[in-house]
Amino acid sequence: MDETQSDSLPPLTAATIKRAQEGLAAARDRDVRHAMEKTLDRLDPLSQEYPESRASGRLRRFVLRSLLHALFRIRVEHLERLPNESAILAANHLNSIDPLLLLAELPAQPYYYVFGDGRALYNKWWKRQILSFAGGIVPLDRWWKEEKAVIEGAKRDRADLVELAKSIERDVPTGSDMPTLRQLNRIARTILMRGEGIILFPEGRLGTAEGKLYLPLKRGTSIYALQAGVPIVPVVLIGTQDLYLWKELTIRFGEPLRFPQSKRPKRQEVDAALEALQAALVALLPTDYQEPEGLKLCRYFLNHMLW
């Protein structure tokens, strides 16, 4: 099976357009924006408006394991490769459940923070309540693949999508502005300096197929690792693209990747680290994944419960 995916976008179905509309609504929602800003203020060493609050790693792990093991059969391969020190876990990304799955199986210490899509995490009131208690989240701004599909469709021949595309470009932050990038850099550096860990999804979006990576990978993973002098641990998740009750899901850890620390990494250093990470992830991916056949209970609910 081909282990990469090109810059493909989902087809412009009614479901894709509806999802883009939901994303726009979340971007305009004051409660969502406030929750994201408040969370970042709690973590930013230059803006400690609120004290950081979070559940213990032990409690978080217990709750997530209890829930997920009741729904799925979870297989963990080579957990012993995970170093007992500050590190960056870099994983492929197929479903919104992926960060919860990782947190359920990681040791309680060191404590890991998840860098994840803010609108997907905070778009429902009950999610905001849970995350306000649990903590451990660094929300990111980025366009969803459905929003990109709408924008591209409007540029081609879909006149009915022009207004929606304009609204997305106007109201949905991309997270690529320099103040945001500097703030995330400060937060990442602070977390790693404290001896804690970070979970990143360097594809920058949800993939669309098992056994494939969405390329190119984002450079933030290697930049954070080089600046802090911490290892990158490649991790692949297998089986999460399509969920149903009691499905077997696999977490496969790779050997840590270590690079010389560089406070101001050069582009070639960043690219070399990123190439090593890509190769390690590709080597861990399944080459012959076959989606199981048979009865798939609660399939729609489990695939959409975190939307």
Side-chain angles (χ1 to χ4, degrees):
M1 181 182 292
D2 183 12
E3 67 274 3
T4 64
Q5 357 184 84
S6 61
D7 194 15
S8 59
L9 296 173
L12 280 172
T13 63
T16 298
I17 296 170
K18 179 182 178 182
R19 186 64 174 154
Q21 292 169 335
E22 292 171 348
L24 176 62
R28 290 172 168 173
D29 190 316
R30 292 183 179 180
D31 290 335
V32 174
R33 300 309 311 175
H34 176 70
M36 293 174 62
E37 291 165 3
K38 185 176 180 180
T39 300
L40 291 172
D41 282 339
R42 285 174 170 172
L43 295 167
D44 191 338
L46 298 186
S47 180
Q48 290 288 343
E49 181 179 354
Y50 307 93
E52 182 188 357
S53 62
R54 69 187 195 191
S56 70
R58 190 179 301 275
L59 175 60
R60 181 177 67 177
R61 184 174 188 265
F62 172 76
V63 172
L64 289 174
R65 277 179 64 87
S66 299
L67 172 63
L68 295 179
H69 280 255
L71 298 173
F72 308 106
R73 294 179 293 122
I74 301 174
R75 176 186 178 93
V76 181
E77 298 179 357
H78 307 302
L79 181 60
E80 73 280 357
R81 292 173 173 171
L82 183 67
N84 187 25
E85 62 180 298
S86 180
I88 296 176
L89 267 62
N92 64 322
H93 201 9
L94 293 167
N95 195 294
S96 298
I97 204 172
D98 293 344
L100 304 184
L101 186 63
L102 286 168
L103 291 174
E105 300 303 326
L106 289 172
Q109 293 296 329
Y111 188 94
Y112 275 88
Y113 284 80
V114 176
F115 279 51
D117 185 277
R119 286 181 295 147
L121 289 165
Y122 292 103
N123 62 343
K124 301 289 177 60
W125 69 267
W126 57 269
K127 293 185 188 179
R128 294 193 290 272
Q129 291 297 317
I130 292 172
L131 293 176
S132 176
F133 162 74
I137 298 295
V138 182
L140 304 177
D141 275 319
R142 61 189 182 194
W143 280 353
W144 293 355
K145 59 185 179 183
E146 293 88 354
E147 293 165 336
K148 291 181 180 179
V150 165
I151 291 170
E152 289 303 311
K155 290 178 180 178
R156 294 195 299 266
D157 55 1
R158 291 292 299 270
D160 58 314
L161 297 178
V162 170
E163 288 304 316
L164 177 57
K166 288 181 179 178
S167 297
I168 292 169
E169 291 179 315
R170 181 182 65 244
D171 296 337
V172 179
T174 64
S176 59
D177 59 286
M178 287 308 300
T180 297
L181 294 176
R182 290 193 183 104
Q183 183 182 42
L184 292 174
N185 190 284
R186 287 194 302 269
I187 291 171
R189 186 166 59 246
T190 299
I191 290 171
L192 296 171
M193 286 177 60
R194 292 194 314 220
E196 297 172 320
I198 291 175
I199 297 173
L200 291 173
F201 298 96
E203 292 168 290
R205 51 160 274 185
L206 289 176
T208 57
E210 295 279 356
K212 295 184 179 181
L213 287 180
Y214 182 83
L215 299 176
L217 301 181
K218 303 298 183 182
R219 303 171 78 240
T221 304
S222 54
I223 291 173
Y224 296 157
L226 289 167
Q227 288 179 337
V230 301
I232 302 174
V233 181
V235 187
V236 299
L237 302 167
I238 304 168
T240 65
Q241 200 270 331
D242 185 26
L243 299 176
Y244 53 85
L245 194 61
W246 303 316
K247 185 181 184 182
E248 181 174 278
L249 310 178
T250 299
I251 305 173
R252 182 177 294 162
F253 289 85
E255 295 286 354
L257 305 174
R258 300 180 184 273
F259 310 95
Q261 184 174 8
S262 177
K263 296 292 186 180
R264 294 179 179 272
K266 298 178 181 178
R267 184 178 183 89
Q268 56 264 37
E269 294 175 310
V270 173
D271 290 344
L274 207 59
E275 289 175 9
L277 172 60
Q278 179 179 321
L281 288 171
V282 168
L284 291 170
L285 287 169
T287 58
D288 56 353
Y289 182 84
Q290 296 293 324
E291 192 65 39
E293 298 181 354
L295 187 63
K296 299 183 178 181
L297 298 173
C298 304
R299 183 182 186 185
Y300 182 86
F301 169 75
L302 291 173
N303 281 303
H304 294 81
M305 63 180 176
L306 296 178
W307 279 30

mmCIF file of all heavy atoms in Angstrom, residues 5 8 60 73 99 132 148 152 210 220-221 227 232 252-253 293:
data_model
loop_
_atom_site.group_PDB
_atom_site.id
_atom_site.type_symbol
_atom_site.label_atom_id
_atom_site.label_comp_id
_atom_site.label_asym_id
_atom_site.label_seq_id
_atom_site.Cartn_x
_atom_site.Cartn_y
_atom_site.Cartn_z
ATOM 1 N N GLN A 5 -0.028 10.337 1.039
ATOM 2 C CA GLN A 5 -1.152 10.868 0.292
ATOM 3 C C GLN A 5 -0.767 12.243 -0.227
ATOM 4 O O GLN A 5 -0.089 12.998 0.440
ATOM 5 C CB GLN A 5 -2.429 11.005 1.126
ATOM 6 C CG GLN A 5 -2.416 10.537 2.530
ATOM 7 C CD GLN A 5 -3.781 10.650 3.169
ATOM 8 O OE1 GLN A 5 -4.633 9.783 3.038
ATOM 9 N NE2 GLN A 5 -3.987 11.689 3.885
ATOM 10 N N SER A 8 -4.724 15.903 -1.424
ATOM 11 C CA SER A 8 -6.091 15.660 -1.863
ATOM 12 C C SER A 8 -7.067 16.215 -0.847
ATOM 13 O O SER A 8 -6.791 16.284 0.345
ATOM 14 C CB SER A 8 -6.323 14.156 -2.044
ATOM 15 O OG SER A 8 -6.081 13.473 -0.834
ATOM 16 N N ARG A 60 -6.357 11.246 34.778
ATOM 17 C CA ARG A 60 -6.692 11.339 33.358
ATOM 18 C C ARG A 60 -6.563 9.979 32.679
ATOM 19 O O ARG A 60 -7.437 9.548 31.920
ATOM 20 C CB ARG A 60 -5.790 12.370 32.687
ATOM 21 C CG ARG A 60 -6.056 12.579 31.210
ATOM 22 C CD ARG A 60 -5.164 13.677 30.638
ATOM 23 N NE ARG A 60 -3.753 13.284 30.635
ATOM 24 C CZ ARG A 60 -2.772 14.063 30.131
ATOM 25 N NH1 ARG A 60 -3.064 15.245 29.632
ATOM 26 N NH2 ARG A 60 -1.518 13.651 30.142
ATOM 27 N N ARG A 73 -10.997 -2.831 21.624
ATOM 28 C CA ARG A 73 -9.879 -3.690 22.010
ATOM 29 C C ARG A 73 -8.605 -2.968 21.588
ATOM 30 O O ARG A 73 -8.394 -2.721 20.410
ATOM 31 C CB ARG A 73 -9.989 -5.057 21.332
ATOM 32 C CG ARG A 73 -11.196 -5.870 21.797
ATOM 33 C CD ARG A 73 -11.291 -7.210 21.101
ATOM 34 N NE ARG A 73 -11.573 -7.054 19.671
ATOM 35 C CZ ARG A 73 -10.805 -7.529 18.702
ATOM 36 N NH1 ARG A 73 -9.683 -8.169 18.983
ATOM 37 N NH2 ARG A 73 -11.134 -7.366 17.441
ATOM 38 N N PRO A 99 -5.957 11.517 20.045
ATOM 39 C CA PRO A 99 -5.238 11.992 21.234
ATOM 40 C C PRO A 99 -5.718 11.329 22.520
ATOM 41 O O PRO A 99 -4.914 11.052 23.417
ATOM 42 C CB PRO A 99 -5.516 13.500 21.242
ATOM 43 C CG PRO A 99 -6.676 13.699 20.347
ATOM 44 C CD PRO A 99 -6.617 12.618 19.327
ATOM 45 N N SER A 132 -11.968 21.973 30.554
ATOM 46 C CA SER A 132 -11.670 22.960 31.586
ATOM 47 C C SER A 132 -11.212 22.270 32.866
ATOM 48 O O SER A 132 -10.319 22.752 33.572
ATOM 49 C CB SER A 132 -12.902 23.815 31.873
ATOM 50 O OG SER A 132 -12.652 24.719 32.932
ATOM 51 N N LYS A 148 -11.060 23.840 3.325
ATOM 52 C CA LYS A 148 -10.182 23.986 2.158
ATOM 53 C C LYS A 148 -10.882 23.491 0.891
ATOM 54 O O LYS A 148 -10.724 24.083 -0.186
ATOM 55 C CB LYS A 148 -8.891 23.198 2.381
ATOM 56 C CG LYS A 148 -7.992 23.770 3.462
ATOM 57 C CD LYS A 148 -6.722 22.944 3.602
ATOM 58 C CE LYS A 148 -5.799 23.493 4.666
ATOM 59 N NZ LYS A 148 -4.567 22.690 4.822
ATOM 60 N N GLU A 152 -11.511 25.742 -2.460
ATOM 61 C CA GLU A 152 -11.056 25.315 -3.787
ATOM 62 C C GLU A 152 -12.234 25.154 -4.742
ATOM 63 O O GLU A 152 -12.136 25.495 -5.926
ATOM 64 C CB GLU A 152 -10.274 24.008 -3.675
ATOM 65 C CG GLU A 152 -8.909 24.159 -3.029
ATOM 66 C CD GLU A 152 -8.036 25.161 -3.753
ATOM 67 O OE1 GLU A 152 -7.930 25.061 -4.987
ATOM 68 O OE2 GLU A 152 -7.479 26.049 -3.086
ATOM 69 N N GLU A 210 -6.048 4.479 6.031
ATOM 70 C CA GLU A 210 -5.100 3.725 6.836
ATOM 71 C C GLU A 210 -3.823 3.459 6.042
ATOM 72 O O GLU A 210 -3.850 3.272 4.820
ATOM 73 C CB GLU A 210 -5.714 2.384 7.248
ATOM 74 C CG GLU A 210 -6.919 2.504 8.161
ATOM 75 C CD GLU A 210 -6.545 2.727 9.613
ATOM 76 O OE1 GLU A 210 -5.328 2.709 9.928
ATOM 77 O OE2 GLU A 210 -7.464 2.928 10.425
ATOM 78 N N GLY A 220 6.902 22.254 12.707
ATOM 79 C CA GLY A 220 6.934 22.596 14.124
ATOM 80 C C GLY A 220 7.500 21.496 15.005
ATOM 81 O O GLY A 220 8.204 21.780 15.985
ATOM 82 N N THR A 221 7.212 20.238 14.673
ATOM 83 C CA THR A 221 7.693 19.126 15.484
ATOM 84 C C THR A 221 9.209 19.137 15.603
ATOM 85 O O THR A 221 9.773 19.040 16.697
ATOM 86 C CB THR A 221 7.235 17.780 14.883
ATOM 87 O OG1 THR A 221 5.818 17.772 14.762
ATOM 88 C CG2 THR A 221 7.680 16.620 15.762
ATOM 89 N N GLN A 227 15.109 22.815 19.396
ATOM 90 C CA GLN A 227 15.315 23.913 20.331
ATOM 91 C C GLN A 227 15.441 23.419 21.768
ATOM 92 O O GLN A 227 16.240 23.931 22.548
ATOM 93 C CB GLN A 227 14.164 24.914 20.222
ATOM 94 C CG GLN A 227 14.177 25.734 18.953
ATOM 95 C CD GLN A 227 13.002 26.696 18.864
ATOM 96 O OE1 GLN A 227 11.965 26.493 19.507
ATOM 97 N NE2 GLN A 227 13.159 27.748 18.096
ATOM 98 N N ILE A 232 12.313 12.916 19.613
ATOM 99 C CA ILE A 232 11.009 12.745 18.964
ATOM 100 C C ILE A 232 10.720 11.251 18.930
ATOM 101 O O ILE A 232 11.544 10.464 18.451
ATOM 102 C CB ILE A 232 11.006 13.301 17.534
ATOM 103 C CG1 ILE A 232 11.368 14.785 17.510
ATOM 104 C CG2 ILE A 232 9.634 13.077 16.877
ATOM 105 C CD1 ILE A 232 11.515 15.356 16.108
ATOM 106 N N ARG A 252 1.467 1.815 17.912
ATOM 107 C CA ARG A 252 2.797 1.233 17.676
ATOM 108 C C ARG A 252 3.863 2.314 17.848
ATOM 109 O O ARG A 252 3.881 3.309 17.115
ATOM 110 C CB ARG A 252 2.856 0.640 16.271
ATOM 111 C CG ARG A 252 4.171 -0.043 15.905
ATOM 112 C CD ARG A 252 4.077 -0.641 14.518
ATOM 113 N NE ARG A 252 3.102 -1.739 14.469
ATOM 114 C CZ ARG A 252 2.572 -2.215 13.344
ATOM 115 N NH1 ARG A 252 2.904 -1.680 12.165
ATOM 116 N NH2 ARG A 252 1.705 -3.210 13.392
ATOM 117 N N PHE A 253 4.740 2.124 18.831
ATOM 118 C CA PHE A 253 5.794 3.088 19.129
ATOM 119 C C PHE A 253 7.080 2.730 18.382
ATOM 120 O O PHE A 253 7.443 1.555 18.267
ATOM 121 C CB PHE A 253 6.091 3.120 20.632
ATOM 122 C CG PHE A 253 5.004 3.741 21.453
ATOM 123 C CD1 PHE A 253 3.925 2.984 21.888
ATOM 124 C CD2 PHE A 253 5.048 5.081 21.799
ATOM 125 C CE1 PHE A 253 2.909 3.554 22.652
ATOM 126 C CE2 PHE A 253 4.041 5.658 22.552
ATOM 127 C CZ PHE A 253 2.971 4.890 22.985
ATOM 128 N N GLU A 293 -14.246 -7.033 8.096
ATOM 129 C CA GLU A 293 -15.621 -7.127 7.616
ATOM 130 C C GLU A 293 -16.516 -7.616 8.745
ATOM 131 O O GLU A 293 -16.053 -8.002 9.816
ATOM 132 C CB GLU A 293 -15.692 -8.085 6.430
ATOM 133 C CG GLU A 293 -14.862 -7.630 5.235
ATOM 134 C CD GLU A 293 -14.963 -8.593 4.072
ATOM 135 O OE1 GLU A 293 -15.589 -9.658 4.242
ATOM 136 O OE2 GLU A 293 -14.399 -8.282 3.007
#
